[in-house]
Amino acid sequence: MSEQVTPTGDPRELLAGLPADEPVVMINLLRYKQPDGAEHYRRYARGVVPHLEGVGGRVLYSGNAERFVIGDGERPWWDVILVVEYPTPGAFLKMVADKDYLEVHKHREAALERAELIATSRWFG
């Protein structure tokens, strides 16, 4: 398990295998730093909205991690799950490269002890 809050490599390379012209849904599993991580994340959430909307992204779901139904342990390691859809991987990359977004992103880094960001694409199985 990684104790990171930033990408492990170049986001362009990490997203290279996804369809370029289809939506990408990012699953965020987030554990806050204590005692004020949740407040920092609220600042990030307020500040990121115009950047997210500016590239056509939207939050599909956000919620607390309460209990496992299937899994090990009493509850997950993360405090919050956030599911965000971007119209394309390029839209996500455009947002995270914007200098104004990077200023807002400082609150995310200050908020989190650990994060996993999972890029998903539609499954046509």
Side-chain angles (χ1 to χ4, degrees), residues 8 19 26 32-33 46 57 60-61 63 70 73 80-81 100 103 121:
T8 55
M26 302 297 245
Y32 297 131
K33 289 179 183 174
R46 286 189 300 268
L60 299 178
Y61 177 79
I70 298 174
V80 175
I81 184 170
D100 293 330
E103 194 61 35
S121 59

Side-chain angles (χ1 to χ4, degrees), residues 25-28 58-63 81-85:
V25 174
M26 302 297 245
I27 310 298
N28 295 261
R58 64 190 178 119
V59 175
L60 299 178
Y61 177 79
S62 63
I81 184 170
L82 182 64
V83 181
V84 182
E85 181 182 57

Side-chain angles (χ1 to χ4, degrees), residues 1 6 8 13-14 16-17 25-28 32 39 43 46 52 60 72 77 79 86 91 105 109 115 121 123 125:
M1 283 191 283
T6 58
T8 55
E13 291 176 16
L14 296 170
V25 174
M26 302 297 245
I27 310 298
N28 295 261
Y32 297 131
E39 178 54 35
R43 288 183 205 153
R46 286 189 300 268
L52 184 61
L60 299 178
D72 293 330
W77 65 261
D79 297 315
Y86 297 86
H105 190 266
E109 291 175 352
S121 59
W123 178 45

Side-chain angles (χ1 to χ4, degrees), residues 33-114:
K33 289 179 183 174
Q34 298 302 323
D36 59 353
E39 178 54 35
H40 276 289
Y41 203 84
R42 279 191 283 280
R43 288 183 205 153
Y44 168 74
R46 286 189 300 268
V48 79
V49 168
H51 300 283
L52 184 61
E53 291 175 348
V55 297
R58 64 190 178 119
V59 175
L60 299 178
Y61 177 79
S62 63
N64 298 319
E66 300 296 334
R67 299 226 174 258
F68 277 119
V69 174
I70 298 174
D72 293 330
E74 187 174 315
R75 65 182 302 241
W77 65 261
W78 58 89
D79 297 315
V80 175
I81 184 170
L82 182 64
V83 181
V84 182
E85 181 182 57
Y86 297 86
T88 63
F92 171 79
L93 293 171
K94 179 180 178 182
M95 185 185 84
V96 299
D98 180 85
K99 67 177 180 61
D100 293 330
Y101 168 78
L102 294 173
E103 194 61 35
V104 172
H105 190 266
K106 292 176 184 177
H107 290 294
R108 186 179 188 277
E109 291 175 352
L112 300 176
E113 176 181 315
R114 179 175 173 195

